[in-house]
Amino acid sequence: MLRFPIPSAPKEKVPSICSDWGRNKLFWISNDDAETLDDAWDCYVSDQFGSSEQADYLESMAREEFENRLGKAVAGRLKPILEVKDMVHAPGVYEIRWPEWKDECARRISARLFHKERRKERWIVSARLMCKKGTRDETELYYKQTGFAVQAGQIVDRCRDDGWTGLTEYIPDDLN
């Protein structure tokens, strides 16, 4: 006798608290390369712009946009899909997305911050910051991005199991 699976309704996606107006807390899980989220920018993204005076200017503009977007995430004002979206192949993981910037050679650069959320406490617990360079093959980029998202989920789960040790809070300048 043939058995057919009974179709079920698709699960409704849970929107990120980054797009739900209200005060969130943003945390970074410290690692050997980056103790804070600012250190993560310096370690993973900053050097990708180059080393000329023009590169320094472009990097400072991108840094300002990076911090602005994080401030909007803390305030719950990010636009779903465009600025924050769930990762299909990493359940419970979201990415905060930045638009493309240009480096000194006019190559595209972007960043993705992968995180999980504790909805009740309104915590955004980030674990991986990825620099996306436009010179990569799209398939390779997809696998790298998915891998980072899965890793971020595992890192956050381990941190939770360890009693949330290693968290550093990111407080945007406009809230200081």
Side-chain angles (χ1 to χ4, degrees), residues 81-96:
I81 307 302
L82 183 63
E83 297 175 330
V84 62
K85 71 182 249 338
D86 66 315
M87 297 300 295
V88 175
H89 298 292
V93 177
Y94 296 86
E95 68 172 346
I96 297 176

Side-chain angles (χ1 to χ4, degrees), residues 7 9 24 42 50 79 83 88 95 127 132 139 161 174:
N24 298 314
D42 294 338
K79 295 175 189 151
E83 297 175 330
V88 175
E95 68 172 346
K132 228 176 125 173
T139 305
D161 294 345
D174 59 344

Side-chain angles (χ1 to χ4, degrees), residues 2 6 15 27 46-47 54 62 66 69 73 76-77 94 101-103 112 121 129 131 149-150 156 164-165:
L2 289 174
I6 299 171
F27 297 96
S46 181
D47 292 342
Q54 180 187 3
F66 176 77
R69 180 92 22 121
R77 294 183 299 146
Y94 296 86
W101 306 296
K102 303 283 186 192
D103 68 2
R112 300 287 189 260
E121 296 90 349
L129 178 64
C131 182
V150 169
V156 172
W164 298 110
T165 57

Side-chain angles (χ1 to χ4, degrees), residues 7-151:
S8 61
K11 280 190 171 181
E12 193 171 315
K13 292 184 179 179
V14 179
S16 170
I17 60 173
C18 296
S19 59
D20 179 21
W21 282 62
R23 176 81 166 90
N24 298 314
K25 286 188 169 192
L26 174 60
F27 297 96
W28 171 258
I29 299 174
S30 300
N31 62 43
D32 293 339
D33 296 327
E35 192 170 313
T36 66
L37 196 47
D38 290 322
D39 295 340
W41 171 272
D42 294 338
C43 182
Y44 305 124
V45 182
S46 181
D47 292 342
Q48 301 300 318
F49 286 89
S51 57
S52 69
E53 191 174 314
Q54 180 187 3
D56 291 343
Y57 171 75
L58 294 170
E59 189 270 337
S60 70
M61 297 299 289
R63 176 69 179 248
E64 187 175 318
E65 198 170 332
F66 176 77
E67 291 173 356
N68 182 11
R69 180 92 22 121
L70 292 177
K72 286 173 64 178
V74 168
R77 294 183 299 146
L78 293 182
K79 295 175 189 151
I81 307 302
L82 183 63
E83 297 175 330
V84 62
K85 71 182 249 338
D86 66 315
M87 297 300 295
V88 175
H89 298 292
V93 177
Y94 296 86
E95 68 172 346
I96 297 176
R97 308 161 63 123
W98 280 267
E100 293 177 346
W101 306 296
K102 303 283 186 192
D103 68 2
E104 64 184 342
C105 300
R107 288 183 301 231
R108 299 176 300 152
I109 297 175
S110 183
R112 300 287 189 260
L113 180 66
F114 299 101
H115 68 277
K116 284 185 111 173
E117 300 173 348
R118 292 189 53 98
R119 301 187 80 67
K120 186 176 175 186
E121 296 90 349
R122 293 194 65 97
W123 283 10
I124 302 163
V125 183
S126 54
R128 296 290 273 162
L129 178 64
M130 179 183 120
C131 182
K132 228 176 125 173
K133 291 203 74 152
T135 56
R136 294 183 184 266
D137 172 85
E138 289 299 319
T139 305
E140 176 190 349
L141 193 57
Y142 169 80
Y143 287 122
K144 180 180 179 187
Q145 197 164 324
T146 302
F148 269 55
V150 169
Q151 284 179 349

